[in-house]
Amino acid sequence: MKENELAILEQYEIDVKNTRKVRDAVLCETKQGLFLVKEMRFSEKRLSVLDYLSGHLRMSGCENIDWILKTKEEMLFATSEEGNSYFLKKWFAGRECDVRREKDVLEAVENLTTVHGALLGTDYPVQEVEDLRDTFSRHNKEMKKVRSHMRERVGKSDFELAFLKHFDAMYIYANEALETLRKSNYEELLKKCKESNSCVHGDYNYHNVLMIYGGVATTNFEHIQKNIQVTDLYYFLRKVMEKNHWDPILGDKMLNCYQRHVTLDAEEIKYIAICLAYPEKFWKAANSYHRSRKVWIPAKSLEKLELVIEQTEQKKKFLENIFAFHL
């Protein structure tokens, strides 16, 4: 155990037996159970929101969620000698949801319905999401800006050539998704969201869903926000489908699993389809390129771009088969 880790952990009423590094955190084995130390990369106000909502969730029946342990001084975070802030939260012995195991995926979907039920009616001040119409519009402008930059470059890389080759087709999908969203009842869905004070996890993916003994644990609520709840379902569905080549049978089972517990109306289903139709991964490739130095582009970036392009036709067929949605 490093000295700085020890200094942080000594501020808590726990008996540490062992620690080890995990992704962006330190996992602590203690006599009181497993805990995770993470550096606080957001405001104290945000941490207070997480503390309140974790209590709300647990009182609403979501017992298997991470929650923040207070220090000996009843603080939500501890400060290192260097002045950095860290928080300690309950953790679980388990494995990440395996998106290639149907049982895991469907259990994660069913778990999401429980989380959503508990996140209804939360009147605590939670950040509201940006209007998706504005998000799509901004992303479209950013993609065009990247294209303009690439066109001017001499000696284009394979990544740039591939991006430019497929830009027009992908931009048509992006623009059609935006226009369809503008013509939909999205405004009404947002209104219902505000009236019901509904929140979303905000980052519900297989990394944050742990398969534990006797159930499922939901972790990392740092991106929680006021939003249309099926946004979480769209995001998890997209993540799973990308790993399963847009398998319509599995996708249909996921939607049916969710609807066994939560009734979705036609506009919510259409909203999911629109979100899926938007070429999010193509925009991400453009955004990553824009933020890089553009001098050297990793081979991995080209591989990711080629996979996005390859899966576009699969996604189109998926949208047609499952949602009767045509691009």
Side-chain angles (χ1 to χ4, degrees), residues 288-304:
S288 178
Y289 172 88
H290 177 68
R291 289 186 288 106
S292 71
R293 293 167 58 192
K294 306 178 188 65
V295 176
W296 177 77
I297 302 170
K300 195 72 175 175
S301 296
L302 178 59
E303 291 175 15
K304 288 181 179 180

Side-chain angles (χ1 to χ4, degrees), residues 121-163:
T122 51
D123 55 359
Y124 200 78
V126 178
Q127 179 183 351
E128 292 190 10
V129 71
E130 179 184 37
D131 190 306
L132 191 60
R133 293 166 295 193
D134 294 337
T135 303
F136 281 179
S137 180
R138 187 179 72 256
H139 287 181
N140 288 359
K141 290 176 182 176
E142 290 167 353
M143 285 192 289
K144 290 181 74 173
K145 183 177 180 180
V146 168
R147 180 189 61 171
S148 296
H149 173 82
M150 287 183 179
R151 280 176 166 175
E152 295 172 358
R153 284 177 63 84
V154 177
K156 296 176 177 58
S157 67
D158 290 342
F159 176 89
E160 291 163 335
L161 290 171
F163 184 91

Side-chain angles (χ1 to χ4, degrees), residues 261-294:
H261 302 274
V262 180
T263 302
L264 299 180
D265 62 34
E267 288 304 318
E268 288 174 311
I269 292 172
K270 184 177 182 179
Y271 169 74
I272 295 172
I274 293 170
C275 290
L276 289 170
Y278 191 85
E280 181 77 10
K281 297 298 285 287
F282 190 77
W283 166 76
K284 281 190 174 181
N287 188 51
S288 178
Y289 172 88
H290 177 68
R291 289 186 288 106
S292 71
R293 293 167 58 192
K294 306 178 188 65

Side-chain angles (χ1 to χ4, degrees), residues 139-201:
H139 287 181
N140 288 359
K141 290 176 182 176
E142 290 167 353
M143 285 192 289
K144 290 181 74 173
K145 183 177 180 180
V146 168
R147 180 189 61 171
S148 296
H149 173 82
M150 287 183 179
R151 280 176 166 175
E152 295 172 358
R153 284 177 63 84
V154 177
K156 296 176 177 58
S157 67
D158 290 342
F159 176 89
E160 291 163 335
L161 290 171
F163 184 91
L164 291 171
K165 178 181 178 181
H166 295 279
F167 177 86
D168 289 341
M170 302 301 280
Y171 188 79
I172 288 173
Y173 298 149
N175 201 49
E176 286 185 356
L178 172 59
E179 291 306 313
T180 305
L181 181 65
R182 284 172 172 166
K183 294 173 184 176
S184 72
N185 281 343
Y186 175 65
E187 195 76 45
E188 186 63 26
L189 290 178
L190 283 179
K191 182 180 177 182
K192 289 180 181 178
C193 167
K194 292 179 180 179
E195 289 174 350
S196 62
N197 281 321
S198 64
C199 290
V200 298
H201 179 281

Side-chain angles (χ1 to χ4, degrees), residues 94-113:
R95 57 176 175 79
E96 290 185 355
C97 172
D98 185 345
V99 295
R100 291 185 173 86
R101 292 181 62 178
E102 182 180 300
K103 185 175 182 291
D104 277 17
V105 169
L106 297 183
E107 284 184 4
V109 172
E110 187 170 358
N111 176 67
L112 180 60
T113 66

